[in-house]
Amino acid sequence: MQTRHTPARKRIALVAHDNKKAELIEWAIYNKATLTRHQLFGTGTTGRLLEDALDVHVTRLLSGPLGGDQQIGAMIAEGRLDVLIFFWDPMSAQPHDPDIKALLRLGVLWNIPMACDRTTADFLLTSPLMYEAYETILPDYDAYLKRKV
């Protein structure tokens, strides 16, 4: 069994579609004390808004449609992110929907905690596991990698 060490200070990606940015910022301000104990990452405008609202450093990536979602996906695949909080808008088609689907797929593929709405984000952030180191069990993809095409 293969595991990945998740430190007590988590690396959290915060992403929101345009229609969900205000909700994410409001949620982040409410949870500022908890969020500021961790290392924060954000895409484009969301990262700037979070940095301004929380008055903390947020590592800003590209805007989602310009590759930010894919940057976060790569960080997940490389084991450089521990948590994904993505307030996505289920009522609006996005020009980069394939990127969004790929990002969510990678979160599941690499077994990281994800929240796509405020309630799940609340449950995730209030878990005692957010404050301690954790050994994440990684799926075994050896059989998949060794298959003959």
Side-chain angles (χ1 to χ4, degrees):
M1 174 175 57
Q2 199 174 31
T3 64
R4 177 184 61 244
H5 178 75
T6 303
R9 184 172 186 248
K10 309 292 188 275
R11 299 163 295 181
I12 302 173
L14 297 151
V15 184
H17 285 150
D18 288 345
N19 291 340
K20 294 289 187 168
K21 286 187 191 325
E23 183 180 359
L24 179 67
I25 298 305
E26 178 187 321
W27 175 85
I29 291 168
Y30 181 79
N31 290 288
K32 179 179 178 174
T34 300
L35 288 172
T36 56
R37 294 171 66 177
H38 301 285
Q39 186 177 4
L40 306 178
F41 298 82
T43 53
T45 305
T46 305
R48 182 181 50 77
L49 292 170
L50 285 163
E51 199 167 59
D52 292 346
L54 300 177
D55 195 30
V56 298
H57 173 71
V58 175
T59 301
R60 289 189 268 161
L61 307 169
L62 296 172
S63 169
L66 298 178
D69 296 332
Q70 291 184 348
Q71 286 179 299
I72 289 177
M75 292 174 75
I76 291 169
E78 294 166 353
R80 296 188 295 124
L81 277 179
D82 305 308
V83 175
L84 173 61
I85 296 173
F86 186 177
F87 283 23
W88 61 277
D89 183 1
M91 301 304 283
S92 297
Q94 302 292 324
H96 60 297
D97 274 340
D99 298 335
I100 297 160
K101 184 176 180 183
L103 175 57
L104 295 173
R105 179 184 165 277
L106 286 169
V108 172
L109 184 75
W110 292 107
N111 199 22
I112 70 160
M114 293 190 306
C116 295
D117 59 62
R118 187 180 194 130
T119 300
T120 308
D122 284 340
F123 273 73
L124 181 59
L125 215 59
T126 58
S127 168
L129 298 174
M130 282 298 294
Y131 305 100
E132 58 189 56
Y134 182 80
E135 290 301 315
T136 301
I137 297 172
L138 296 177
D140 182 0
Y141 294 115
D142 284 343
Y144 174 80
L145 295 171
K146 292 176 183 174
R147 78 188 192 302
K148 294 185 182 192
V149 181

